[in-house]
Amino acid sequence: MSQIWFALAASLTVFMTSFNGVHAQSITDVERLFSNLMVGYSKMFRPVLNQSKQVIVVPGLDIVSIQDFNEVEEKISFTALLYLAWNDERLVWDPKDYGGIDNLYIDVSKIWAPQLMLTNVVNKNERLSEDWHTVRVNASGWCLYVIANVFTSSCDVDVTFYPWDTQTCSLDFMPANYGVDKMILYPIYHKVQLTYYSPNGAWDLMDTSVTSELYSFMVRFNVVLERKPRFAIVNVILPLIIMSALNILVFLIPTECGERISFCLTVLLSIAVFLTLVGDNLPKNSNPMSLFSYYLVSVLAISAAITLSVICSLHVYHRSEKQQPGGAWRAIAMCLECYYVRRTGSESADRTNRSDKIKFARPENASHRSSHGMHSIPYSSHTNRGVILYRPTHSYGTLPSDRPEDKPLQKKETDDSDSSVLEITWAEVSIALDKVFFLFFILLLITDTLCFLIIIYHNVSL
C-alpha cells in the first residue's frame, strides 16, 4: 500500500506541474490529438487495459463556504470543489508528436469518468457530474475532474452544551455504479483544503480530516464546527436572566397598589415565550437534550413559584384581624424586625421622664377655692393622647390615690405598663414573608444560573 501511495503522489505531482509549460500549439495539432485519442475509445469500459485491475480514484475537497446549517432539520450545506483524479491508460500520447501539447480539455461526456454519489444526502440523490463539465487530461494519462457544487448532507447535531456547542459534520462519497473490486477511493490528503474558504458569521471552522471507510470504498470528509455564542448570549440568555431578576422585584411592590399578580403573570408569560422560541431553534429529539432547555425549565419553575409566593403573601395580608397570628408568624416577624418589641423597663423609664415634665397648673380661682376648703390635684390619664385631667377634691379628704373610685384607673395603668409586646397584625406578617421570599428567590436564581454556567464551562473545557 505504501508503494501505491508513493506512485499516486508522484504521478499527481507530475500531473500538476506538467500544466505549467508553455508551447507553441496549433489548432490542427489539438484536433489531430483529440481525433487519435477518440479512435476506438468507449466510455462504457473502465480506463485500464487489464480489466481485472481496480481503478484508483484520488478524491479531494476544497470548501469555499458554509452555505447553511439548519440545526432543527439536522442538515448542512457546503459550497465546495470536489476533485477527482485518476489515470486513464488509453489517453496517453507523446507531446513531441503533437506540437508539444501536454494537456487537453475533453468533455466529460466523451470519456470515462467516475460517477460518485453523496451517501448522506438529505434530498434526492442526484448525479454529481454534468455533460457540460470538462476533464483535464495530461500526456501521461492522468485526468483531473473538478466538480463545483453545493453539497447538502445530513448532520447529527449534538446541542447538549448549546450555545457553546461543537458539531462534527461530514460529506460521504462512494462510487455509484461499481463495487469495491472495480474501483476504490484513495485520498492522499488527510485534510480538507481551504484555499478559497470564506468565514461564516455563525460558525467557526475549527478542524478538518479525511478518512477512508469500507476498505477504501468510501471517503469521508469531516468538518468540525464551533458555534459563535455571542448572538445567543445577547439575544436569549441575558434577556432571560434580566426578566427573571425583574420578576423577583415583585416583592418590593407595595401590596396596596394591587398590581402584583398582573406583574408576575406578565413576566411568567414572557419567559414561556422565550422557552418556545429557543425550543423552535433546537432539534426535535430527546437524546441528547440541551442543558439550556433544562435551565429554561428551571427558570420557568422559579417564576411560577414566585407567582404562588405572591398569592400566598396577598392571602396573608388580607386575612381577618379577628384571628391573631400564631407563634410561628410572630417569630418570623420578630426575626425580620417588622416591628419593635418594647421592654417593660424601658417603657416605664420613658413614662417616668414624661411625668416629670408635667406641670401641675392651678386655676386662677385656686385661692378662692382654697378659702372654701377645696383644692385641685392634677393627674394624667394614661391615654394615647396624654390629656391632663383635674379632679377637684376637698382639702380635708383623702388623697386621690386613696380614693376607691381612683383605684380602677391605677390598676389599668399598671396593666398597660406591664404590656411589653405590641400587637402584631397580618399585614406585618405579610411584609415579613415578602422579605423572606425576596432573599430566597434571589439566592435561588443566582445558584441556578451559576450551576448552569459552571456545568457548561466544565464540559466544554474538557
Side-chain angles (χ1 to χ4, degrees):
M1 188 61 68
S2 60
Q3 294 177 353
I4 297 176
W5 174 273
F6 178 77
L8 287 174
S11 301
L12 191 59
T13 302
V14 174
F15 169 71
M16 299 300 294
T17 56
S18 63
F19 297 146
N20 297 328
V22 178
H23 305 281
Q25 303 169 359
S26 64
I27 187 63
T28 304
D29 294 332
V30 176
E31 290 177 350
R32 185 165 53 90
L33 173 61
F34 179 74
S35 299
N36 293 337
L37 291 177
M38 292 296 102
V39 172
Y41 188 95
S42 177
K43 66 177 183 179
M44 295 179 58
F45 305 104
R46 293 181 298 120
V48 288
L49 299 179
N50 185 1
Q51 290 293 301
S52 62
K53 292 173 54 179
Q54 294 175 322
V55 177
I56 301 176
V57 178
V58 180
L61 188 70
D62 196 330
I63 294 180
V64 178
S65 64
I66 301 173
Q67 188 76 10
D68 181 46
F69 191 4
N70 193 327
E71 302 100 307
V72 178
E73 299 181 6
E74 294 188 298
K75 64 179 183 179
I76 187 169
S77 299
F78 294 100
T79 301
L81 303 176
L82 178 63
Y83 297 96
L84 299 175
W86 70 95
N87 184 260
D88 194 330
E89 297 179 0
R90 295 175 295 177
L91 301 179
V92 179
W93 71 89
D94 188 358
K96 298 179 181 178
D97 298 336
Y98 299 96
I101 299 176
D102 56 2
N103 63 81
L104 185 67
Y105 286 91
I106 304 175
D107 289 344
V108 71
S109 59
K110 303 293 184 180
I111 62 174
W112 183 93
Q115 299 294 332
L116 300 184
M117 62 180 179
L118 182 63
T119 58
N120 57 345
V121 67
V122 175
N123 300 320
K124 181 180 178 181
N125 202 334
E126 298 179 353
R127 191 177 69 169
L128 299 180
S129 62
E130 300 289 343
D131 292 340
W132 56 270
H133 291 173
T134 59
V135 179
R136 192 174 187 179
V137 185
N138 69 354
S140 60
W142 276 98
C143 304
L144 178 63
Y145 182 22
V146 181
I147 303 174
N149 202 346
V150 177
F151 302 99
T152 302
S153 66
S154 60
C155 180
D156 294 332
V157 179
D158 185 358
V159 291
T160 304
F161 306 114
Y162 173 88
W164 290 274
D165 54 329
T166 301
Q167 308 297 334
T168 301
C169 300
S170 64
L171 295 173
D172 301 338
F173 294 96
M174 64 183 301
N177 48 8
Y178 290 106
V180 67
D181 59 331
K182 301 298 181 181
M183 187 175 72
I184 61 174
L185 303 177
Y186 196 84
I188 63 174
Y189 297 107
H190 297 286
K191 293 288 185 179
V192 175
Q193 303 302 307
L194 302 174
T195 308
Y196 310 102
Y197 179 74
S198 59
N200 186 267
W203 297 89
D204 286 328
L205 199 155
M206 304 302 296
D207 192 15
T208 61
S209 63
V210 181
T211 58
S212 183
E213 307 288 340
L214 301 177
Y215 304 100
S216 299
F217 188 64
M218 183 178 71
V219 62
R220 175 170 295 168
F221 300 97
N222 301 303
V223 178
V224 180
L225 303 175
E226 185 179 69
R227 188 191 303 271
K228 297 179 179 179
R230 185 179 303 175
F231 179 84
I233 293 174
V234 174
N235 293 277
V236 179
I237 297 180
L238 287 182
L240 183 63
I241 295 176
I242 292 173
M243 283 194 302
S244 301
L246 190 65
N247 199 12
I248 299 176
L249 298 180
V250 68
F251 296 107
L252 301 181
I253 300 177
T255 308
E256 295 82 1
C257 70
E259 297 294 334
R260 281 189 163 191
I261 296 297
S262 60
F263 181 86
C264 287
L265 292 179
T266 301
V267 179
L268 179 63
L269 292 176
S270 300
I271 295 176
V273 170
F274 261 86
L275 183 61
T276 304
L277 293 177
V278 175
D280 292 339
N281 293 325
L282 296 179
K284 304 298 186 293
N285 53 32
S286 299
N287 189 20
M289 280 285 291
S290 174
L291 295 178
F292 187 66
S293 297
Y294 291 111
Y295 174 69
L296 288 176
V297 172
S298 66
V299 171
L300 185 65
I302 292 174
S303 181
I306 291 174
T307 304
L308 295 177
S309 301
V310 170
I311 294 174
C312 177
S313 178
L314 291 176
H315 176 72
V316 171
Y317 185 87
H318 293 287
R319 291 192 66 175
S320 175
E321 296 296 338
K322 295 181 180 180
Q323 182 181 2
Q324 297 298 322
W329 299 115
R330 297 171 66 90
I332 293 175
M334 291 175 61
C335 292
L336 296 175
E337 298 180 354
C338 290
Y339 70 97
Y340 295 95
V341 179
R342 297 184 179 182
R343 297 180 181 178
T344 306
S346 61
E347 185 178 0
S348 301
D350 188 37
R351 185 180 294 108
T352 302
N353 294 332
R354 290 200 305 269
S355 62
D356 292 340
K357 296 180 182 179
I358 300 176
K359 296 181 180 179
F360 295 90
R362 297 175 63 90
E364 295 178 356
N365 55 354
S367 59
H368 176 69
R369 293 183 179 179
S370 298
S371 62
H372 291 80
M374 299 180 62
H375 66 277
S376 299
I377 298 178
Y379 73 96
S380 64
S381 176
H382 204 282
T383 62
N384 294 332
R385 297 183 179 180
V387 179
I388 300 177
L389 302 178
Y390 293 86
R391 177 183 291 275
T393 58
H394 294 281
S395 59
Y396 301 101
T398 59
L399 292 175
S401 60
D402 297 333
R403 294 176 61 86
E405 57 272 20
D406 295 338
K407 290 182 180 180
L409 182 61
Q410 292 179 353
K411 184 177 181 180
K412 182 177 180 181
E413 292 181 3
T414 304
D415 294 340
D416 291 341
S417 63
D418 291 339
S419 177
S420 61
V421 181
L422 293 178
E423 181 182 0
I424 301 176
T425 63
W426 285 110
E428 292 170 340
V429 174
S430 176
I431 296 174
L433 288 177
D434 288 341
K435 292 183 178 181
V436 171
F437 290 145
F438 179 78
L439 295 176
F440 173 75
F441 285 111
I442 279 288
L443 294 177
L444 183 61
L445 179 62
I446 294 176
T447 303
D448 186 34
T449 304
L450 288 179
C451 288
F452 165 71
L453 296 177
I454 290 174
I455 292 174
I456 291 291
Y457 177 79
H458 176 71
N459 287 274
V460 171
S461 61
L462 293 179

